[in-house]
Amino acid sequence: MRSDLVDTLVDLIDHTQKKYLKKFNRIIIETTGLADPASILQVLLNHPILTQALEIDAVITTFDVLNSPPILESHPEIQKQLAFADKIILTKTDLIDHIIPLDFLTNKLKALNPTAQIIISHSDQCNSHELINKIIRNKKEGNIELKKRLPTVPHDHSHYQNFRAFSLDCNEPIHFATLKVFLNLLKDLYGEKLLRIKAIIALHDIHIVHLFFMVYKHFFIHQ
């Protein structure tokens, strides 16, 4: 992953310098939900071309207030993402219905990362200016500070070692009842260990492709 990222960024810089592309103001790198921010920061802070041409603005982490609190303590990977963040966006705040006080969550996140800016989004609405508004930091001093937070031994893993991902293929449409039994069985067997499922599903006798998404224990199906 890191070599692909370097190649892409170097190509972008080269193309803009040769005027094949218009000069851009910023690059937004969106990782997978379990990516290690340290791995990407190591690339940006240590590559000779990238350090001259690019400057790190901010590390942004989203925190699902509906599903993440129960697994925060048991998953140090999530804590690491929060600890590296310059900005933490609280999502799904409109769904918790005051079950978990936001002040309690905010204080907990502040304990993990006292300097992070915490942004509360409402109903999927978030002020984009808050996300891309530049954090004022001296480039040299900021890079030194970021490097201090990185692990001393570099690694090439884009995901954490105690997570496993797998895929299933089915050549024929399936019945909704079969899908429901399968998902309930997964939930019963693995419970909190099952963090995320994504799927494109063709259901039997329904000529519409469905998108299936599961976070923690909550299922969502869209046509």
Side-chain angles (χ1 to χ4, degrees):
M1 186 277 291
R2 294 200 299 175
S3 61
D4 290 341
L5 176 61
V6 169
D7 292 342
T8 300
L9 293 176
V10 170
D11 284 346
L12 282 174
I13 294 168
D14 181 62
H15 281 45
T16 55
Q17 290 177 344
K18 294 178 179 178
K19 301 188 184 303
Y20 297 149
L21 293 174
K22 291 183 179 180
K23 186 177 180 180
F24 45 81
N25 295 323
R26 59 179 53 86
I27 299 173
I28 298 175
I29 302 173
E30 182 181 4
T31 69
T32 61
L34 297 175
D36 182 357
S39 179
I40 296 174
L41 289 173
Q42 283 177 329
V43 170
L44 299 178
L45 293 171
N46 293 298
H47 193 279
I49 296 177
L50 300 183
T51 53
Q52 292 298 317
L54 303 176
E55 181 179 353
I56 297 175
D57 180 1
V59 178
I60 301 174
T61 297
T62 59
F63 185 78
D64 180 344
V65 299
L66 180 64
N67 300 301
S68 296
I71 60 175
L72 177 60
E73 299 295 338
S74 58
H75 289 78
E77 300 83 6
I78 300 175
Q79 298 179 27
K80 187 175 182 181
Q81 290 183 346
L82 294 168
F84 269 98
D86 295 298
K87 301 180 182 183
I88 300 173
I89 305 171
L90 304 186
T91 64
K92 301 182 183 176
T93 56
D94 55 313
L95 301 179
I96 60 174
D97 196 25
H98 305 294
I99 297 174
I100 305 174
L102 280 181
D103 288 344
F104 174 78
L105 287 176
T106 300
N107 291 335
K108 201 165 189 177
L109 295 176
K110 281 292 186 183
L112 283 172
N113 188 341
T115 62
Q117 176 188 358
I118 296 180
I119 302 170
I120 299 175
S121 67
H122 299 280
S123 301
D124 296 330
Q125 299 297 318
C126 188
N127 187 344
S128 60
H129 182 70
E130 289 186 285
L131 303 184
I132 62 177
N133 187 28
K134 187 174 180 60
I135 293 177
I136 304 301
R137 59 155 65 106
N138 178 280
K139 181 177 180 180
K140 182 177 180 180
E141 293 179 357
N143 287 353
I144 292 174
E145 188 272 333
L146 283 172
K147 284 184 177 181
K148 288 180 179 179
R149 292 154 60 185
L150 296 176
T152 55
V153 180
H155 54 82
D156 293 320
H157 301 293
S158 58
H159 289 74
Y160 295 92
Q161 293 182 357
N162 58 336
F163 284 93
R164 295 293 181 268
F166 62 92
S167 62
L168 298 175
D169 291 326
C170 184
N171 295 325
E172 300 292 337
I174 61 176
H175 291 275
F176 181 76
T178 304
L179 174 64
K180 188 175 180 180
V181 170
F182 172 71
L183 294 176
N184 285 330
L185 183 61
L186 276 180
K187 189 167 67 171
D188 291 340
L189 287 175
Y190 294 100
E192 296 182 358
K193 294 181 179 180
L194 191 64
L195 297 182
R196 183 171 298 176
I197 297 176
K198 295 180 181 179
I200 300 175
I201 302 171
L203 295 177
H204 189 71
D205 293 333
I206 301 178
H207 302 292
I208 300 175
V209 174
H210 289 71
L211 300 179
F212 171 78
F213 185 61
M214 190 200 100
V215 177
Y216 193 38
K217 297 180 181 179
H218 301 275
F219 299 99
F220 306 91
I221 298 180
H222 302 283
Q223 293 184 354

